[in-house]
């Protein structure tokens, strides 16, 4: 069962901000929102995560709505190397000692940066 | 470079062959994962090892056999595979602690497997 919905594909001009939306209307109170991306023929790469506050790091910003039912990943100045499939994932943290959890990937958004 | 290496990067095998995929992480993590990515399908979790013990097996066929001899190495042994097993096999690692909410996973580059 998909816990997130994302557009299949998006285009963005090089140098502009890329805004990638994600809907997670059934998110529960203890689930975090994670973003990964996968550049063609490479393994996925972690980008950012958050619970309810907006987050920013050197790669991107994450904006989560107040009701937490949706979020937006922002790449402030997109470059051609940002062309990739972007995955929005919600996951529950594990508090049992020594536990590990795998990631459940959907189909993601194929972001194409146009020169 | 993510600190997770996989060998070989490409593998072609017949249905009667036996081969192994290798993954090594240089990050000091204590959990490792195998994922499968078939053409036009989302990544699928296959196996999870935490502290060198298997904690999850998502109903993967027995022709795939994982092995985790220590926290830095993970293998996927393959035997009598089918052509539909052709896919990109990805390894990942993470650090799991009592408060595991930020244990992001680091992925290797994958092994592109073709079964003839």
């Amino acid at each position: 069962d998909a816990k997130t919905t994302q557009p299949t594909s998006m285009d963005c001009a090089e140098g502009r901000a890329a805004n990638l939306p994600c809907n997670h209307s059934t998110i529960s109170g203890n689930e975090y929102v994670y973003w990964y991306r996968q550049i063609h023929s490479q393994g996925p790469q972690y980008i950012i995560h958050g619970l309810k506050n907006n987050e920013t790091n050197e790669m991107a910003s994450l904006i989560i709505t107040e009701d937490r039912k949706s979020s937006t990943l922002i790449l402030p100045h997109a470059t051609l190397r940002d062309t990739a499939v972007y995955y929005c994932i919600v996951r529950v943290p594990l508090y049992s000692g020594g536990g590990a959890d795998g990631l459940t990937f959907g189909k993601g958004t194929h972001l194409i940066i146009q020169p | 470079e993510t600190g997770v290496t996989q060998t070989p990067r490409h593998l072609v095998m017949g249905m009667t062959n036996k081969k192994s995929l290798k993954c090594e992480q240089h990050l000091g993590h204590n959990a490792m994962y195998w994922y499968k990515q078939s053409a036009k399908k989302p990544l699928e979790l296959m196996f999870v090892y935490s502290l060198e013990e298997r904690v999850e097996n998502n109903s993967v066929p027995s022709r795939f056999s994982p092995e985790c001899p220590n926290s830095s190495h993970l293998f996927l042994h393959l035997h009598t595979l089918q052509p539909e097993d052709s896919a990109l096999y990805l390894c990942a690692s993470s650090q799991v602690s009592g408060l595991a909410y930020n244990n992001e996973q680091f992925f290797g580059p994958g092994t592109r497997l073709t079964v003839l």
Side-chain angles (χ1 to χ4, degrees):
Chain A
D1 291 335
K3 301 185 74 172
T4 64
T5 56
Q6 300 177 251
T8 302
S9 65
M10 293 181 62
D11 288 352
C12 179
E14 187 178 18
R16 305 297 288 269
N19 297 282
L20 293 93
C22 179
N23 288 323
H24 31 79
S25 58
T26 60
I27 192 170
S28 59
N30 59 349
E31 286 184 313
Y32 283 66
V33 181
Y34 282 73
W35 283 84
Y36 281 74
R37 73 179 182 184
Q38 187 175 21
I39 296 171
H40 182 62
S41 296
Q42 297 183 22
Q45 175 191 24
Y46 165 82
I47 301 173
I48 198 168
H49 74 282
L51 179 62
K52 56 183 178 181
N53 297 320
N54 297 338
E55 301 288 345
T56 296
N57 63 20
E58 65 278 3
M59 290 183 67
S61 295
L62 174 60
I63 308 298
I64 303 173
T65 58
E66 192 169 344
D67 63 8
R68 301 208 325 120
K69 292 184 177 182
S70 66
S71 61
T72 301
L73 178 74
I74 301 173
L75 307 179
H77 305 286
T79 70
L80 297 178
R81 287 183 290 182
D82 291 322
T83 292
V85 179
Y86 287 77
Y87 299 99
C88 171
I89 299 168
V90 296
R91 45 189 299 220
V92 179
L94 295 178
Y95 297 100
S96 56
D101 60 332
L103 296 170
T104 301
F105 287 84
K107 296 183 178 180
T109 296
H110 188 193
L111 175 66
I112 300 171
I113 306 301
Q114 305 282 1
Chain B
E1 287 294 328
T2 63
V4 180
T5 58
Q6 291 187 242
T7 55
R9 295 294 307 276
H10 300 271
L11 178 63
V12 178
M13 60 186 289
M15 290 189 286
T16 58
N17 292 156
K18 290 184 179 181
K19 297 287 184 182
S20 295
L21 309 184
K22 179 182 176 181
C23 176
E24 184 173 359
Q25 59 96 0
H26 312 274
L27 302 168
H29 289 164
N30 58 8
M32 297 186 76
Y33 313 77
W34 279 117
Y35 290 84
K36 174 184 177 182
Q37 187 171 34
S38 304
K40 299 182 180 179
K41 292 177 69 175
L43 280 91
E44 304 170 69
L45 178 67
M46 298 177 73
F47 300 103
V48 178
Y49 276 84
S50 177
L51 302 175
E52 301 165 38
E53 291 189 6
R54 188 190 303 180
V55 297
E56 186 168 345
N57 175 354
N58 286 357
S59 302
V60 178
S62 59
R63 56 186 184 269
F64 296 92
S65 175
E67 178 189 2
C68 187
N70 55 62
S71 60
S72 299
H73 295 87
L74 185 65
F75 295 90
L76 188 63
H77 304 299
L78 316 170
H79 63 98
T80 60
L81 294 192
Q82 305 298 312
E84 58 265 29
D85 296 321
S86 298
L88 180 68
Y89 288 85
L90 290 155
C91 172
S93 72
S94 70
Q95 182 64 28
V96 178
S97 64
L99 292 176
Y101 59 87
N102 61 346
N103 61 326
E104 60 262 28
Q105 294 183 17
F106 292 79
F107 285 79
T111 295
R112 176 70 62 186
L113 174 67
T114 302
V115 182
L116 302 177

